[in-house]
Amino acid sequence: MSRAKAKKRSLKTILESPNPFLRTLYILAGCVFVAAGIGVLVVALRPIPDLNNFDSRKVAQSTKIYDREGKTVLYDLNHDVRRNIVPLSQISLTLQKATLAIEDSSFYSHGGISFRGIARAIVTDITTRSFAQGGSTITQQVVKNTILTGQKSITRKVQELILALKLEQKYSKDQILEFYFNVTPYGGTLYGAEVASRSFFGKSANDLSIAEAAYLAAIPQLPTYYSPYGNNRAALDERKNLVLSRMRALNYISEAEYVAAKAEKVVFSRQQSNSILAPHFVFYIEQQLETKYGSDVATQGLTVITTLDADLQRDAETIVNKYALANATKFNASNAALVAIDPKTGQILSMVGSRDYFDPKIDGNFNIALAERQPGSSFKPFVYAAALKRGYTPQSVVFDLPTQFSTACSPTDTGNGTYPCYAPSNYDNKFRGPMTFTTALAQSINIPAVEALYLAGMDNVLDLAKSAGITTLGEAKQYGLSLALGAAEVKLLELTGAYATLANDGVRNPPVGILEIRDRKGSVLEKFVAAPEQAIDTGVSRNISAMLSDNQARQPEYPPVNPFYFPGFDVAAKTGTTNESRDAWTVGYTPGITVGVWAGNNDNSPMVKEIAGYIVAPMWHEFMQAALDKQPKE
């Protein structure tokens, strides 16, 4: 019997079958196959994205801000998409093997499609009616993530298959794998293995351990579900172990490596809100970038290496938060800020603008480090510096006695401080008689400071402070003699920078936050170059440093062991508290680091009446000690 006759009889047998259900099922199956064939033909002939545009397809590159080591990503300015395009040679072989093991172990042998995977996915899609199954090869995933939309449909799936075949014809396997590692989503706004590796582990994708690579390979299947920061960490751990077992089964790793990697305790980097570290500092830098490179800087693919010391920043954030929370209860001071600067270069090592950037109750996103606040007595070193410049010495004597400084009032009216009179008092309402400049500054006595301002000349004080880097100062007529007690407004960043000038023998290095900027091709656009300037006479600066670090001169205002005393180190320091206790400051330095801290309330409401030595000096001391532990003695 011929084959044609057999087919004809078989078809006739089906159509004449006495079982109507079986006959209907066969007819429907035939219709489905015919429709599927027509569908495939239509899809194959319909216009599809031109693969010639694949190379030039714009994969949005993000401008990224790093710490000073270039290892920790502080922030990715492209809020929607975060990518970092790298060649396959910069993706570790370990990560490549882990990904192939779990995603597509036959990648280098198939032509772009795995028919076994397709069959498995089709069965599941039909039974669940979701069209959500995977079964895709790495080639298909590249097509899905770069050319096609994410819409789930049979038509799109067929397009994916056709494009995968064409992609394999146009590109080598290594090129396709490189595309994969640069476009695959790893959760949230993380796209590509490099940026995901830096965000999760603080290191390049070229430096991952076997366990870290297994974790990274485990995430793309369901990036949100397998997020290390979500509620399914146990499921992620289980899938990581599956990756490792697949790697072992394929002989990608040895038995010893498998056992060690399975037991390794991997620590993921701390997640920050909006995936941002050092937010106040980051936005301080971002504003500079936008000013210089335009409002679209986020998508220009720049690499920005900043001056921030990631370790010191973590210390700063922890310490500020701890003391600010305690101060809220003890002193009604809900907020605090900190700035640390290298006086030899002006490089900003740490910046904390509030105890918690993401706490709206304290207006946490407002950067107090850049706000204008009255410095209180922390301004006094510049008053005495101006007097020293005029020929006075640390041993010059001034008198702490009741004094009426206004010529509009009687000299004997020493208790009247109401305008136009001006008769300031000391914090404890005591008077100590004759004092040297050194003792008066170390104990922060008010009346001698006003006398020193008078001796130095107000314009001279303002000029010296401006030369040291304080830009917010106006003219003498705006302040009067109260300038000596901190009546002008300053920024914590600039005040700390001005103290850094004193720490550096009077040589000013303007505060700077950027070390290097490279474009997306790696070309250097700008690089930090020091711009030192002799702002204060060297001898004057050294005398002020000696006065501020004289621990004996602080007594009896402070005991011998106090927040400004560091055994083995010469540390200069000064506090400041405004009249109505709205601001409390401590700023101090060694030759290697200058640290300024502030405490108070963003809304300018007063704290409990207390000196800065109790409110903010302990916070300053703890951070300064942490910084000195990492520095040589100078």
Side-chain angles (χ1 to χ4, degrees):
M1 183 183 296
S2 68
R3 185 176 299 179
K5 288 182 178 180
K7 286 185 176 181
K8 184 175 181 180
R9 178 172 295 182
S10 177
L11 178 59
K12 181 178 179 180
T13 301
I14 292 172
L15 294 175
E16 293 178 354
S17 172
N19 188 331
F21 176 78
L22 194 61
R23 184 170 65 247
T24 302
L25 183 62
Y26 284 142
I27 292 173
L28 288 175
C31 291
V32 168
F33 279 108
V34 171
I38 295 173
V40 170
L41 182 62
V42 170
V43 171
L45 294 176
R46 70 182 295 182
I48 57 177
D50 185 4
L51 284 177
N52 291 328
N53 294 327
F54 190 87
D55 288 321
S56 60
R57 178 180 178 84
K58 182 178 181 181
V59 178
Q61 294 206 52
S62 300
T63 290
K64 284 166 280 294
I65 299 177
Y66 293 87
D67 71 336
R68 66 187 297 110
E69 300 296 329
K71 296 179 180 179
T72 300
V73 179
L74 303 178
Y75 191 49
D76 187 317
L77 270 60
N78 189 343
H79 301 251
D80 297 322
V81 178
R82 301 175 63 192
R83 303 186 192 272
N84 192 6
I85 308 302
V86 295
L88 188 62
S89 60
Q90 292 184 23
I91 301 294
S92 69
L93 287 175
T94 303
L95 178 56
Q96 293 182 44
K97 291 176 180 179
T99 300
L100 291 173
I102 195 65
E103 292 288 345
D104 190 359
S105 60
S106 61
F107 172 71
Y108 279 98
S109 60
H110 64 61
I113 297 174
S114 171
F115 291 99
R116 181 183 299 178
I118 291 173
R120 184 177 65 251
I122 288 175
V123 171
T124 306
D125 283 344
I126 290 175
T127 56
T128 63
R129 298 181 181 180
S130 66
F131 304 111
Q133 266 300 300
S136 298
T137 64
I138 280 179
T139 308
Q140 289 173 259
Q141 292 181 52
V142 168
V143 169
K144 179 176 60 178
N145 291 326
T146 57
I147 299 178
L148 299 177
T149 66
Q151 182 182 2
K152 301 291 184 180
S153 69
I154 294 177
T155 299
R156 194 207 61 80
K157 191 68 176 180
V158 173
Q159 282 185 309
E160 177 184 303
L161 297 176
I162 295 172
L163 285 171
L165 294 173
K166 291 187 175 183
L167 198 67
E168 290 272 349
Q169 295 172 2
K170 181 175 176 63
Y171 294 96
S172 70
K173 287 289 187 178
D174 283 350
Q175 286 177 306
I176 294 171
L177 190 59
E178 180 175 300
F179 289 147
Y180 173 89
F181 281 118
N182 283 310
V183 300
T184 296
Y186 286 86
T189 59
L190 303 178
Y191 285 78
E194 177 67 11
V195 70
S197 178
R198 288 188 179 275
S199 295
F200 291 144
F201 308 115
K203 62 177 67 173
S204 170
N206 203 28
D207 300 322
L208 296 175
S209 69
I210 294 176
E212 290 168 341
Y215 270 119
L216 204 58
I219 291 172
Q221 185 190 50
L222 293 170
T224 301
Y225 181 82
Y226 287 122
S227 169
Y229 308 118
N231 298 329
N232 304 302
R233 177 60 188 270
L236 174 61
D237 292 340
E238 184 178 343
R239 183 163 171 80
K240 177 265 298 184
N241 290 336
L242 175 61
V243 174
L244 291 174
S245 66
R246 288 287 298 152
M247 294 178 74
R248 179 68 193 102
L250 294 166
N251 287 320
Y252 289 166
I253 55 177
S254 67
E255 180 66 23
E257 289 174 326
Y258 169 76
V259 172
K262 193 173 181 180
E264 181 181 339
K265 299 297 183 182
V266 173
V267 177
F268 287 85
S269 299
R270 184 180 61 178
Q271 185 190 30
Q272 300 287 320
S273 300
N274 295 341
S275 298
I276 184 172
L277 301 174
H280 291 102
F281 175 76
V282 161
F283 293 127
Y284 166 73
I285 296 297
E286 183 179 8
Q287 184 174 346
Q288 295 179 36
L289 295 175
E290 288 183 351
T291 300
K292 193 163 189 176
Y293 294 97
S295 58
D296 64 339
V297 67
T299 59
Q300 292 179 19
L302 304 181
T303 295
V304 182
I305 308 299
T306 71
T307 60
L308 198 78
D309 185 309
D311 290 336
L312 278 181
Q313 180 68 18
R314 281 191 289 270
D315 290 339
E317 291 178 353
T318 300
I319 291 168
V320 167
N321 182 266
K322 179 178 73 173
Y323 280 94
L325 288 174
N327 286 346
T329 301
K330 294 179 180 179
F331 305 113
N332 190 38
S334 64
N335 208 2
L338 181 149
V339 169
I341 293 176
D342 180 352
K344 298 175 181 177
T345 61
Q347 295 173 12
I348 301 170
L349 303 176
S350 179
M351 177 187 286
V352 181
S354 74
R355 79 179 192 210
D356 184 353
Y357 179 90
F358 300 100
D359 186 352
K361 295 180 181 179
I362 59 168
D363 195 20
N365 61 355
F366 184 76
N367 191 350
I368 285 290
L370 304 179
E372 296 183 17
R373 312 282 299 210
Q374 288 191 344
S377 294
S378 63
F379 187 77
K380 288 177 181 176
F382 305 101
V383 174
Y384 285 96
L388 295 180
K389 185 179 179 181
R390 296 272 291 176
Y392 295 92
T393 73
Q395 299 307 313
S396 294
V397 176
V398 282
F399 293 87
D400 179 28
L401 298 171
T403 306
Q404 176 57 255
F405 287 95
S406 174
T407 57
C409 300
S410 170
T412 59
D413 195 2
T414 57
N416 186 1
T418 304
Y419 184 82
C421 298
Y422 185 63
S425 60
N426 296 315
Y427 179 83
D428 56 5
N429 292 315
K430 296 179 181 179
F431 300 95
R432 296 160 178 80
M435 308 182 74
T436 64
F437 272 18
T438 296
T439 304
L441 178 59
Q443 298 182 24
S444 197
I445 308 304
N446 286 341
I447 295 174
V450 178
E451 294 173 355
L453 175 67
Y454 182 83
L455 296 172
M458 197 174 304
D459 286 330
N460 294 327
V461 171
L462 288 170
D463 288 344
L464 183 142
K466 291 175 182 177
S467 296
I470 301 177
T471 66
T472 55
L473 300 174
E475 300 178 0
K477 62 183 180 182
Q478 297 176 234
Y479 311 113
L481 293 176
S482 62
L483 175 67
L485 309 183
E489 292 185 335
V490 302
K491 299 177 181 179
L492 175 61
L493 175 62
E494 292 188 351
L495 183 63
T496 306
Y499 271 71
T501 300
L502 294 171
N504 197 37
D505 283 345
V507 177
R508 177 177 179 252
N509 288 290
V512 63
I514 296 174
L515 290 178
E516 183 179 276
I517 299 178
R518 298 192 297 269
D519 65 17
R520 65 179 64 195
K521 296 180 180 179
S523 300
V524 176
L525 300 179
E526 61 178 86
K527 197 175 184 70
F528 168 73
V529 177
E533 177 185 351
Q534 191 74 48
I536 302 175
D537 180 80
T538 299
V540 169
S541 296
R542 291 183 177 180
N543 276 326
I544 292 295
S545 295
M547 294 161 69
L548 292 175
S549 59
D550 190 333
N551 194 53
Q552 186 174 356
R554 297 184 183 119
Q555 303 169 36
E557 193 70 20
Y558 292 97
V561 178
N562 55 68
F564 318 110
Y565 176 67
F566 298 84
F569 285 91
D570 288 325
V571 180
K574 184 72 189 73
T575 62
T577 310
T578 54
N579 281 340
E580 297 180 352
S581 297
R582 301 183 190 277
D583 303 272
W585 309 70
T586 298
V587 190
Y589 56 86
T590 67
I593 190 169
T594 304
V595 180
V597 295
W598 168 93
N601 298 299
N602 281 27
D603 62 4
N604 210 34
S605 57
M607 299 173 284
V608 171
K609 186 174 176 61
E610 188 56 84
I611 62 173
Y614 293 106
I615 298 175
V616 75
M619 180 196 312
W620 175 87
H621 178 92
E622 185 167 335
F623 178 81
M624 179 61 87
Q625 186 65 65
L628 293 179
D629 287 344
K630 302 173 184 178
Q631 292 193 338
K633 296 181 180 180
E634 293 185 81

